[in-house]
Amino acid sequence: DADVTQTPRNRITKTGKRIMLECSQTKGHDRMYWYRQDPGLGLRLIYYSFDVKDINKGEISDGYSVSRQAQAKFSLSLESAIPNQTALYFCATSETGLAGLDNEQFFGPGTRLTVL
Amino acid sequence: QKEVEQDPGPLSVPEGAIVSLNCTYSNSAFQYFMWYRQYSRKGPELLMYTYSSGNKEDGRFTAQVDKSSKYISLFIRDSQPSDSATYLCAMRGDYKLSFGAGTTVTVRA
């Protein structure tokens, strides 16, 4: 089945460490997204990419960076992790539809990150 | 003020009850309205998708959008234990989805 996968699924790290979360998809979609989910705050967009050469900041990009290595791969980095980056992180993909708007977003299983 | 407001619950109902979920929003540019379902330890998956105002029915699920009131609803009829999940509303005006906080629903057998 075409899918969205994320690695690692769980990660515990210490303040100041550099962390990379990886996302791969076999759906052939052009658009990829990184979200974080916090209790009571829902899903918030960190970064998004409409193709390999297109990277855009979302609403909470400070402290994060991304790399779109290929159409199928989109990684999220925390250069110097801090405790308030403890959250559930989701990667999502979508396909560009009519009028340039995307259709349904398909989410990966999530990465639970804890920063001590 | 958040763009999308959703009561996080939790909501607990007996099997067979009607579940009523809703969201309000402030951005009048939103045109596309969605409900995602998220099971524990899983990513969200699209449940219902509605464009502009009106009702949409899919099996036991009904989505309603009232753009004049900036209010959307999801109803689940004859609820089942398998409906126990977190339900997130989402809406889009341009290229970005804005999500509600999610309502956690438990259907008791």
Side-chain angles (χ1 to χ4, degrees), chain B residues 53-108:
Chain B
S53 285
N55 294 355
K56 185 174 184 178
E57 190 171 316
D58 184 1
R60 297 183 295 110
F61 298 89
T62 300
Q64 292 183 348
V65 175
D66 181 350
K67 290 188 69 180
S68 63
S69 301
K70 296 189 178 66
Y71 187 90
I72 71 170
S73 302
L74 177 71
F75 300 96
I76 308 174
R77 291 183 300 280
D78 187 25
S79 58
Q80 304 295 310
S82 58
D83 295 325
S84 297
T86 297
Y87 292 82
L88 302 100
C89 62
M91 39 203 83
R92 176 164 61 78
D94 45 27
Y95 298 102
K96 181 176 76 71
L97 282 182
S98 294
F99 285 86
T103 301
T104 299
V105 175
T106 300
V107 181
R108 307 185 306 272

Side-chain angles (χ1 to χ4, degrees), chain A residues 13-26:
Chain A
T13 191
K14 295 182 178 180
T15 297
K17 293 292 187 182
R18 184 179 188 275
I19 296 296
M20 180 180 285
L21 308 183
E22 299 189 359
C23 177
S24 294
Q25 54 115 346
T26 57

Side-chain angles (χ1 to χ4, degrees), chain B residues 19-44:
Chain B
V19 176
S20 174
L21 305 168
N22 58 75
C23 291
T24 59
Y25 63 94
S26 57
N27 189 342
S28 58
F30 288 145
Q31 296 282 354
Y32 298 87
F33 303 91
M34 287 144 273
W35 286 94
Y36 279 79
R37 178 175 60 194
Q38 184 178 17
Y39 290 116
S40 181
R41 302 187 184 280
K42 301 282 189 181

Side-chain angles (χ1 to χ4, degrees), chain A residues 9 31 33 35 37 40-43 45 50 59 88 90 99-105 107-109 112, chain B residues 2 8 32 36 38 41-46 49 86 88 92-102:
Chain A
R9 292 295 312 278
R31 298 184 175 191
Y33 309 80
Y35 292 90
Q37 187 175 37
L41 295 178
L43 285 160
L45 184 63
F50 284 175
E59 57 186 298
L88 194 52
F90 287 102
L101 299 176
D102 65 345
N103 299 320
E104 175 182 355
Q105 290 190 16
F107 286 80
R112 186 168 295 278
Chain B
K2 295 179 185 176
Y32 298 87
Y36 279 79
Q38 184 178 17
R41 302 187 184 280
K42 301 282 189 181
E45 57 181 356
L46 184 66
Y49 181 108
T86 297
L88 302 100
R92 176 164 61 78
D94 45 27
Y95 298 102
K96 181 176 76 71
L97 282 182
S98 294
F99 285 86

